[in-house]
Amino acid sequence: MALDPAEQHLRHVEKDVLIPKIMREKARERCSEQVQDFTKCCKDSGLLMVVKCRKENSALKECLTAYYNDPAFYEECKMEYLKEREEFRKTGIPTKKRLQKLPTSM
């Protein structure tokens, strides 16, 4: 049974695991300032980070949650996933490996 590369139907695991994974990665990139602030606070505070980094943790959670709850962001990540899946179904090569195997110079 051959899969149509352009087919848009999403399986349960794609909706609930794979697309949210892309969302987390992209949200962390877009909230990089808050991630850096929280990381720095944790490194500077040691064991007291739970108490000392509440402000940074709240800012990070707020930023990430804004992206997680944004339907447009979900659609953006879903389309990115579908594009990657379509390319995989055409070539049989996962995106990460395809990007790694590109020649650096000729």
Side-chain angles (χ1 to χ4, degrees):
M1 176 177 118
L3 293 171
D4 177 18
E7 200 242 316
Q8 298 286 307
H9 176 74
L10 291 170
R11 296 173 301 152
H12 172 71
V13 71
E14 293 169 320
K15 286 181 194 172
D16 297 342
V17 178
L18 299 174
I19 293 173
K21 180 181 176 198
I22 292 171
M23 290 177 73
R24 279 191 302 277
E25 291 168 359
K26 288 178 81 81
R28 283 183 67 86
E29 288 171 16
R30 293 181 182 188
C31 296
S32 63
E33 186 178 318
Q34 289 87 343
V35 171
Q36 288 174 348
D37 291 346
F38 181 66
T39 303
K40 183 182 182 314
C41 180
C42 289
K43 286 179 181 176
D44 294 345
S45 301
L47 294 174
L48 297 175
M49 70 179 142
V50 174
V51 177
K52 289 188 174 183
C53 300
R54 284 185 180 154
K55 183 181 81 174
E56 291 83 353
N57 189 26
S58 294
L60 177 57
K61 277 186 189 175
E62 193 175 305
C63 181
L64 293 173
T65 304
Y67 282 111
Y68 297 156
N69 295 330
D70 181 6
F73 183 65
Y74 176 82
E75 285 301 314
E76 177 187 329
C77 294
K78 178 176 135 183
M79 295 314 293
E80 180 181 318
Y81 173 77
L82 288 171
K83 185 176 160 202
E84 287 178 12
R85 184 180 75 177
E86 180 180 353
E87 195 63 31
F88 172 76
R89 287 180 176 178
K90 285 179 186 174
T91 64
I93 303 169
T95 304
K96 289 179 183 174
K97 287 187 179 177
R98 192 170 54 250
L99 295 175
Q100 289 172 352
K101 291 185 179 184
L102 291 175
T104 54
S105 63
M106 292 189 140

